[in-house]
């Protein structure tokens, strides 16, 4: 009853509806711009949340995530270019429907499936998050250190490309997190005499740099997109069509929840898995790839389910499973909120506000999505140079408003260059971001553990939770190495037979 009271107070006594709609709107617009992923859309908004109350800031960021997952399907269907990575599977049948003159129907199925997926994911979030968070009560400093190592190793081993590249990116992130003041002794480190670095490098600057600025640099040499060339209106599915889509939407909900709980999973994997399984269990598998309604519903349900389910490990243990949840973790830390059971005890209004705001955004998604479609279509048709200029101006103004500091602009632009080089070399971003975000927890827990033991490393072997987490880290890294060696061997055998 106490939670219901807080929910009603937030719903009717605070502007939470306003912030959830603003986040949803910005998410749909940002997600509809090709190349501007959900994580970039959230990172662009992050600087503007500094002056907000914590519940308002977190609600707006979470609703941006929800909106971006739907927005990514708009260019995927209309111009065969997914606005977000997780909308890549929607291209297969969505664009085929567009070529058949059924673009409005495809957009309506995407919108309806997104609402179904978001509602299911929200239910899973409410049911699973708080019980899981109480497991963290048994954690000691050694456990938190091992948990941070597990998060870094899992993400590094599950990202596309080389394990060594993932681990290298994580190490760079950990190195950046050591800049500033030592958390135990108070000694300044790696500041090079700059007072602006005494407090360390703010994660928001790293996120905006490697996500948004580097993306603008990558797009600067690409050609503009083709014109849509027609007026499009959303057509929501009929009752008979809704009944036909139930099976594929159920598959998307289940796989989306599973992938949301899995570190390194994310919407892209969930979308493609759901597409394949929907085809397997469909009564009309021959229509897949030729404009199947189920081929649009399954991946869109899955990636919208992930948008809510991915918050479960984030709020329970502080381990983000994707770039977007890493940005949301940054938003939590900016406002002094630590994931885990204490978040539910000391900041219940934030958690309940997140539930309420997500519910409002999910219900409003149909109306807002229909109203915003003409604007999104207009934006997709704009030359990329104009969009890039607008986004760069938004980035620079947002960064400068944080501390009115020119050095912040330099850090963000410098990290943009680093992100550009990482993209070119095939290094993943998420281990780097996690290294920056989790670095303080890993270092401070490690140092406190050694202080408690008088410098004896055996303390890490006396905590069964720490042992289990460290062994799990070793297993993930080992399995990743085995997979890489097997793939390299298969590639050599293939070349030999060619």
């Amino acid at each position: 009853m106490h939670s219901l009271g807080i929910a009603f107070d937030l719903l009717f006594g605070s502007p939470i509806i306003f912030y959830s709609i603003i986040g949803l709107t910005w998410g749909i617009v940002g997600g509809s711009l090709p190349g501007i992923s959900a994580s970039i859309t959230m990172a662009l908004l992050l600087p503007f949340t500094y002056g907000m109350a914590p519940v308002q800031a977190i609600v707006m960021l979470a609703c941006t995530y929800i909106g971006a997952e739907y927005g990514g399907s708009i260019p995927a269907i209309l111009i065969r270019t997914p606005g977000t990575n997780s909308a890549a599977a929607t291209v297969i049948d969505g664009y085929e429907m567009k070529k058949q003159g059924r673009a409005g129907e495809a957009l309506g199925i995407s919108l309806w499936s997104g609402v179904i997926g978001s509602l299911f994911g929200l239910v899973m979030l409410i049911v699973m998050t708080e019980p899981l968070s109480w497991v963290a009560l048994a954690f000691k400093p050694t456990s938190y250190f091992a948990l941070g190592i597990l998060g870094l190793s899992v993400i590094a081993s599950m990202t596309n490309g080389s394990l060594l590249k993932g681990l290298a990116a994580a190490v760079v992130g950990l190195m950046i997190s050591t800049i500033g003041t030592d958390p135990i002794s108070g000694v300044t480190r790696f500041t090079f005499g700059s007072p602006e670095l005494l407090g360390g490098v703010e994660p928001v600057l790293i996120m905006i740099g490697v996500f948004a600025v580097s993306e603008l640099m990558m797009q600067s040499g690409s050609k503009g997109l083709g014109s849509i060339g027609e007026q499009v209106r959303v057509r929501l599915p009929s009752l008979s069509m809704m009944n036909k889509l139930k099976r594929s939407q159920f598959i998307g909900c289940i796989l989306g929840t599973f992938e949301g709980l899995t570190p390194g999973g994310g919407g892209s994997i969930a979308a493609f898995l759901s597409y394949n399984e929907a085809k397997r269990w469909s009564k009309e598998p021959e229509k897949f790839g030729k404009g199947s309604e189920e081929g649009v519903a399954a991946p869109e349900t899955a990636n919208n389910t992930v948008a809510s389910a991915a918050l479960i490990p984030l709020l329970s243990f502080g381990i983000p499973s994707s770039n977007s949840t890493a940005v949301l973790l940054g938003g939590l830390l900016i406002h002094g909120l630590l994931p885990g059971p204490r978040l539910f005890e000391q900041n219940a209004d934030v958690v309940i506000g997140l539930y309420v705001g997500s519910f409002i955004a999910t219900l409003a998604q149909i109306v807002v999505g229909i109203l915003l479609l003409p604007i999104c279509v207009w934006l997709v048709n704009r030359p990329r140079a104009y969009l890039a200029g607008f986004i760069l101006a938004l980035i620079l103004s947002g960064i400068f408003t944080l501390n009115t500091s020119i050095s912040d602009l330099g850090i963000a632009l410098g990290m943009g260059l680093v992100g550009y080089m990482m993209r070119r070399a095939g290094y993943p971003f998420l281990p780097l971001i996690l290294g920056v975000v989790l670095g303080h927890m890993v270092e401070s827990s490690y140092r406190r553990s050694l202080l408690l033991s008088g410098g004896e490393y055996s303390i890490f072997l006396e905590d069964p939770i720490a042992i289990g987490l460290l062994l799990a880290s070793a297993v993930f890294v080992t399995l990743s190495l085995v997979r890489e060696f097997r793939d390299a061997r298969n590639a050599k055998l293939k070349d030999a037979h060619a």
Side-chain angles (χ1 to χ4, degrees):
M1 293 300 294
H2 178 64
S3 298
L4 285 176
I6 295 176
F8 279 109
D9 288 342
L10 289 169
L11 189 58
F12 300 108
S14 72
I16 192 171
I17 296 178
F18 172 77
Y19 286 103
S20 62
I21 299 298
I22 290 294
L24 177 69
T25 302
W26 172 242
I28 293 176
V29 172
S32 68
L33 298 177
I36 309 301
S37 63
S39 55
I40 295 175
T41 305
M42 295 170 69
L44 290 173
L45 194 62
L46 200 54
F48 299 98
T49 65
Y50 266 62
M52 297 181 183
V55 62
Q56 297 168 357
I58 301 308
V59 165
M60 192 160 66
L61 288 171
C63 293
T64 299
Y65 190 10
I66 293 172
E69 290 301 333
Y70 164 67
S73 69
I74 295 175
I77 292 169
L78 297 181
I79 58 174
R80 204 178 184 180
T81 304
T84 58
N85 294 333
S86 56
T90 309
V91 171
I92 303 171
D93 283 284
Y95 187 69
E96 286 296 321
M97 291 181 70
K98 188 260 184 185
K99 290 198 300 183
Q100 297 167 11
R102 298 191 293 154
E105 183 183 351
L107 289 168
I109 291 172
S110 168
L111 183 56
W112 174 248
S113 300
V115 171
I116 297 296
S118 296
L119 285 174
F120 186 87
L122 180 59
V123 171
M124 293 297 100
L125 176 66
I126 295 172
V127 170
M128 298 178 66
T129 303
E130 187 170 2
L132 284 176
S133 71
W134 290 104
V135 177
L137 283 177
F139 280 35
K140 304 173 184 177
T142 49
S143 307
Y144 279 108
F145 166 75
L147 181 64
I149 296 298
L150 175 64
L152 291 170
S153 61
V154 169
I155 295 301
S157 62
M158 288 190 173
T159 48
N160 293 328
S162 168
L163 170 65
L164 292 179
K165 288 183 176 180
L167 293 176
V171 170
V172 171
L174 291 172
M175 292 169 65
I176 294 173
S177 72
T178 62
I179 296 173
T181 305
D182 186 289
I184 303 297
S185 66
V187 176
T188 57
R189 307 174 300 186
F190 313 116
T191 60
F192 304 100
S194 173
E196 288 84 1
L197 293 177
L198 288 175
V201 179
E202 296 190 54
V204 61
L205 302 179
I206 309 298
M207 294 177 188
I208 292 177
V210 298
F211 286 140
V213 176
S214 67
E215 180 62 31
L216 292 180
M217 295 175 71
M218 291 292 293
Q219 291 191 18
S220 61
S222 61
K223 297 180 180 180
L225 299 172
S227 175
I228 295 171
E230 62 180 85
Q231 293 292 326
V232 181
R233 296 180 61 183
V234 174
R235 290 178 51 201
L236 292 174
S238 62
L239 290 177
S240 59
M241 179 59 68
M242 289 181 186
N243 186 60
K244 177 182 178 181
L245 300 176
K246 285 192 302 185
R247 182 186 291 105
S248 57
Q249 289 172 339
F250 176 77
I251 291 171
C253 287
I254 299 301
L255 292 178
T257 301
F258 177 77
E259 288 297 328
L261 292 169
T262 305
S268 300
I269 298 175
F272 279 105
L273 285 177
S274 299
Y275 182 88
N276 291 333
E277 291 305 311
K279 181 178 180 180
R280 184 196 308 272
W281 295 98
S282 174
K283 294 180 179 179
E284 302 174 317
E286 69 281 355
K287 290 183 63 176
F288 278 70
K290 301 176 183 178
S292 170
E293 299 89 353
E294 294 175 279
V296 174
E300 283 301 303
T301 306
N303 59 40
N304 280 272
T305 303
V306 169
S308 295
L311 304 186
I312 298 173
L314 173 67
L315 296 178
S316 298
F317 303 109
I319 299 298
S321 59
S322 64
N323 290 334
S324 301
T325 49
V327 176
L328 187 57
L329 176 59
L332 288 167
L333 297 179
I334 285 170
H335 290 277
L337 303 172
L338 295 176
R342 293 181 183 177
L343 181 66
F344 293 85
E345 286 184 338
Q346 301 174 2
N347 304 101
D349 60 324
V350 174
V351 179
I352 296 173
L354 176 61
Y355 298 159
V356 173
S358 299
F359 181 69
I360 293 170
T362 300
L363 295 184
Q365 193 171 347
I366 293 179
V367 176
V368 175
I370 293 174
L371 293 176
L372 284 181
L373 182 63
I375 298 175
C376 295
V377 170
W378 182 83
L379 285 172
V380 170
N381 277 312
R382 294 310 93 199
R384 284 196 176 186
Y386 297 159
L387 292 175
F390 167 74
I391 293 171
L392 181 60
L394 187 67
I395 291 171
L396 297 180
S397 60
I399 292 171
F400 188 74
T401 56
L402 295 180
N403 303 304
T404 60
S405 170
I406 298 296
S407 64
D408 285 354
L409 292 175
I411 292 172
L413 293 175
M415 289 308 302
L417 180 59
V418 171
Y420 176 78
M421 292 188 292
M422 290 178 66
R423 287 178 186 267
R424 288 293 188 186
Y427 282 79
F429 285 161
L430 187 53
L432 171 68
I433 299 299
L434 277 188
V436 174
V437 173
L438 298 179
H440 177 77
M441 181 187 80
V442 171
E443 182 187 10
S444 59
S445 299
Y446 174 77
R447 300 276 296 279
R448 283 203 301 268
S449 299
L450 292 181
L451 284 174
L452 290 172
S453 67
E456 293 292 333
Y457 289 94
S458 58
I459 189 173
F460 294 102
L461 302 179
E462 297 170 0
D463 181 0
I465 296 178
I467 294 174
L469 294 174
L470 291 174
L471 286 175
S473 303
V475 169
F476 276 109
V477 172
T478 302
L479 290 176
S480 181
L481 285 173
V482 170
R483 185 182 68 246
E484 286 192 18
F485 282 125
R486 185 178 64 246
D487 291 344
R489 185 184 60 187
N490 291 339
K492 286 183 179 180
L493 292 174
K494 186 176 180 181
D495 291 339
H497 290 295

